[in-house]
Amino acid sequence: MRWMLLLFMSLSLPVLADLDYSLKPRQIAEDTWLLEGSTDNFAKANGGNIVNTAFIVTEPGVVVIDTGPSKRYGEAMRKAIAAITDKPVIQVLLTHHHPDHVLGNQAFTDVPIGALAGTTGLLRQQGDAMAENMYRLVGDWMRGTEVVLPTRTLTPGVQSFGNHDLHLLSLGGHTGADLVILDRKTGVLFAGDLVFYQRALTTPNSPGLAVWLSDIATLQGLPWTLIGPIPERFTGISLSRYELIRSVSHLYPRYERTQMTRVDSTANK
Ligand SMILES: [Zn+2]
């Protein structure tokens, strides 16, 4: 009977857990933890958790990178952090204004929430509409969620938290205001949504693939050793880093040309 009980429990888990994101931080480098989301689109099944967030446990405290898609996620993230370390959260860094990255801000109003000026501007313009759309897409998971604007404007350069020197870069290929963070201590590059893995790019706010490609070239020139959630089984493969970037650089211009031809021929008819 035990297996039947287990089966029953696993089938009924979402109800029993009352919309629990079940966040499980995974250590990807020294002091560095990743919360990996689904590669699906926003859906009631995933509560909008299609994002990878992260946190770095530095000497003075925890630096959080993106806060997730809802108040509930932000609160769950804080609990997940507290299960790893007793240190306080001291800073939030937002990579860009998209809803899955910023709507957990409500759970971090006691610490500085940093973003590029452009990100704050976009969130001010689009935040309420994006939140409304999220309510429509994932329903109850969003309960109580409101847009909280960043409280600190980030500028490019190096910001140090203990012995973690974080190199902040201001890029723009994905939304026009994209923060990229390179932790010089660990070599981990937090590329936000400038790099997608096993998922197509999302482009609604993008200023275009030319900008995006130039950002990719910038990323290629950085001395990173690990990028976001790429599984370890690939990182050991020779040239995987080079080939990943090269394939994106090759494939997207070709894709863009194909699309443009089609639009032209339709327009001429
Ligand atoms: Zn995005």
Side-chain angles (χ1 to χ4, degrees), residues 33-71:
W33 301 78
L34 173 78
L35 296 162
E36 193 171 353
S38 163
T39 52
D40 295 335
N41 206 349
F42 294 122
K44 290 200 170 75
N46 58 40
N49 180 14
I50 62 164
V51 64
N52 295 327
T53 61
F55 60 94
I56 308 168
V57 182
T58 74
E59 281 157 16
V62 179
V63 177
V64 168
I65 298 169
D66 288 338
T67 60
S70 65
K71 177 173 181 268

Side-chain angles (χ1 to χ4, degrees), residues 30 32 56 163-167 181-190:
E30 188 183 353
T32 311
I56 308 168
N163 56 359
H164 285 262
D165 293 336
L166 303 186
H167 182 188
I181 302 151
L182 175 66
D183 185 342
R184 288 182 171 169
K185 180 179 164 69
T186 58
V188 176
L189 180 73
F190 301 92

Side-chain angles (χ1 to χ4, degrees), residues 87-191:
K87 289 185 178 172
V89 175
I90 54 169
Q91 175 75 51
V92 169
L93 302 172
L94 301 176
T95 59
H96 63 293
H97 76 292
H98 279 164
D100 47 329
H101 295 258
V102 304
L103 288 179
N105 284 1
Q106 265 166 302
F108 296 92
T109 51
D110 57 327
V111 295
I113 299 178
L116 295 171
T119 296
T120 304
L122 287 163
L123 190 57
R124 192 176 281 122
Q125 285 167 25
Q126 303 177 7
D128 287 340
M130 288 189 315
E132 246 173 65
N133 196 38
M134 289 292 287
Y135 273 91
R136 192 174 58 75
L137 291 170
V138 308
D140 263 1
W141 292 88
M142 301 300 295
R143 206 181 304 152
T145 302
E146 286 171 13
V147 174
V148 171
L149 292 175
T151 53
R152 186 171 290 180
T153 301
L154 300 174
T155 49
V158 175
Q159 200 166 333
S160 298
F161 298 89
N163 56 359
H164 285 262
D165 293 336
L166 303 186
H167 182 188
L168 309 183
L169 290 93
S170 172
L171 301 179
H174 177 55
T175 63
D178 297 292
L179 177 73
V180 165
I181 302 151
L182 175 66
D183 185 342
R184 288 182 171 169
K185 180 179 164 69
T186 58
V188 176
L189 180 73
F190 301 92

